Amino acid sequence: MKKIINEPAAFVDEFVEGILLAHPDLLKTPADDRRVLVRADAPVAGKVGIVTGGGSGHLPLFKGYVGRGLCDGVAIGNVFSSPSSAQVLEATKAVSGGAGVLYLYGNYGGDVFNFDLATDMAELEGIPTLTAIGRDDVASQPKERSADRRGVAGILFAFKGAGAAAERGDTLEQVAAVAEDIIDNTATMGIGISPTILPTTGKPSFELGDGEMEVGIGIHGEPGFHRGELESADRIAERLTERLVADLGIGSGDRVAVLVNGMGATPLEELYLLFRRVHQLLSEQGITISKNYIGEYATSLEMAGASISLLALNDERLALLNAPAESPFFKEA
């Protein structure tokens, strides 16, 4: 597998440096090692700060959602590795404007452990924190164990909603409640058709035979629940949408936001093929799509594949999605 890189060990530091050089009006770093990014105007006095974090390799996930109306800071780990608790604390201090800080990140063991440590460290610094954990991957656990599900692309909805709530002046408890409400009403499932190659090893994260796909795959290549012959775009959309609609318990008269996400090496044209069928399926069931996002929002380096996320909407959730936001990778006018 060919990659456009320099030394593999420098991969994360160098691409983060590139992001900072490209967007000095939107982002800055308080850290000598550049493993923390914050919005350029951080800290914002009197505003709840939001800190996310996770492993690299998923851009724009995590570091791409730092900006006005989104997250205020991010702690950056190595490829598919958690950031340290010290990095999380550094981000926390850099965005603390006196109203507390919400930790909002995906449900992975290392991230949970280090953010929990950072919670205790922030308390010693006099910074109150609350935590909301993205857990939208319906393939990773059944509904009755939804608290143990992985966090994947649907966390975008929580970033957007919680970010809008913080921007309008909500308290820490209110911002956390908004994030939890959106997380509880989000469902995601994905498919993979070719693996990602780790820069440090040059080896694939999983193996698939020619003409095969894996349904329910995670964003690090975690196994799904079905491996078989690659199906048509329509059939893939049907598989995923049926599971998501059932999981959310939505039906005729309901409204949703739809996210069709590319994993890193899937042409945009193919994502629109999926959205076309999702739109048909939901329309047939009397479900209205009030908001859609189509593109790369949570990737896995060069993995080929896609995921579909649904957020069940009410007036409040839709208003939060429509609120202004801006980062180098995301904009809502």
Side-chain angles (χ1 to χ4, degrees):
M1 181 69 187
K2 298 176 181 177
K3 284 182 174 286
I4 303 173
I5 61 174
N6 298 309
E7 288 298 320
F11 175 70
V12 174
D13 295 324
E14 290 183 347
F15 85 71
V16 172
E17 181 181 5
I19 291 171
L20 284 165
L21 291 170
H23 305 288
D25 56 325
L26 296 174
L27 298 172
K28 64 183 180 182
T29 180
D32 292 337
D33 65 359
R34 296 193 293 270
R35 290 305 183 97
V36 172
L37 297 180
V38 299
R39 53 191 275 183
D41 59 350
V44 180
K47 175 189 166 306
V48 171
I50 301 175
V51 169
T52 190
S56 295
H58 305 300
L59 202 66
L61 187 58
F62 304 123
K63 59 195 72 62
Y65 300 116
V66 173
R68 178 178 59 91
L70 297 162
C71 299
D72 295 86
V74 60
I76 302 167
N78 286 325
V79 174
F80 297 175
S81 299
S82 302
S84 70
S85 57
Q87 290 163 342
V88 176
L89 179 64
E90 190 158 17
T92 304
K93 293 192 291 186
V95 307
S96 176
V101 174
L102 176 68
Y103 291 157
L104 177 54
Y105 57 93
N107 194 16
Y108 296 93
D111 295 333
V112 173
F113 182 80
N114 286 331
F115 271 88
D116 282 352
L117 284 177
T119 296
D120 295 336
M121 296 159 70
E123 184 178 2
L124 295 174
E125 298 277 349
I127 303 173
T129 64
L130 289 175
T131 295
I133 301 177
R135 48 186 190 275
D136 54 306
D137 187 351
V138 304
S140 59
Q141 293 291 346
K143 184 74 170 178
E144 60 270 20
R145 293 188 58 194
S146 59
D148 298 325
R149 287 174 170 174
R150 298 183 294 246
V152 286
I155 199 172
L156 167 69
F157 296 136
F159 288 156
K160 184 66 189 66
E167 208 71 43
R168 73 186 178 189
D170 284 16
T171 66
L172 177 59
E173 290 74 16
Q174 290 169 330
V175 174
V178 165
E180 289 289 356
D181 173 67
I182 290 175
I183 289 166
D184 288 343
N185 286 280
T186 299
T188 299
M189 196 159 76
I191 63 112
I193 60 175
S194 73
T196 182
I197 309 297
L198 300 178
T200 51
T201 66
K203 298 180 186 288
S205 56
F206 63 93
E207 294 184 0
L208 270 178
D210 290 341
E212 284 189 325
M213 69 175 189
E214 181 132 5
V215 182
I217 200 164
I219 59 172
H220 306 100
E222 298 95 337
F225 61 86
H226 169 79
R227 180 175 288 199
E229 183 178 351
L230 179 62
E231 297 171 345
S232 69
D234 281 359
R235 180 60 191 132
I236 290 169
E238 290 160 7
R239 270 186 180 272
L240 303 188
T241 305
E242 287 166 7
R243 284 286 298 270
L244 301 178
V245 167
D247 193 85
L248 291 173
I250 54 177
S252 181
D254 288 326
R255 297 173 290 163
V256 295
V258 176
L259 166 61
V260 180
N261 172 64
M263 296 287 200
T266 304
L268 193 56
E269 291 89 342
E270 295 177 17
L271 301 182
Y272 276 97
L273 286 178
L274 293 172
F275 179 76
R276 166 188 170 272
R277 185 60 180 143
V278 172
H279 193 287
Q280 291 172 349
L281 292 166
L282 295 178
S283 295
E284 289 165 5
Q285 296 176 66
I287 300 170
T288 300
I289 299 175
S290 298
K291 190 85 174 173
N292 66 75
Y293 305 86
I294 302 159
E296 291 186 345
Y297 292 87
T299 65
S300 185
L301 294 173
E302 69 274 67
M303 184 192 294
S307 64
I308 297 172
S309 303
L310 300 183
L311 167 63
L313 289 175
N314 57 21
D315 289 344
E316 169 72 358
R317 294 176 206 135
L318 181 57
L320 291 165
L321 292 186
N322 285 330
E326 184 178 14
S327 82
F329 299 87
F330 183 93
K331 186 169 185 177
E332 186 76 42

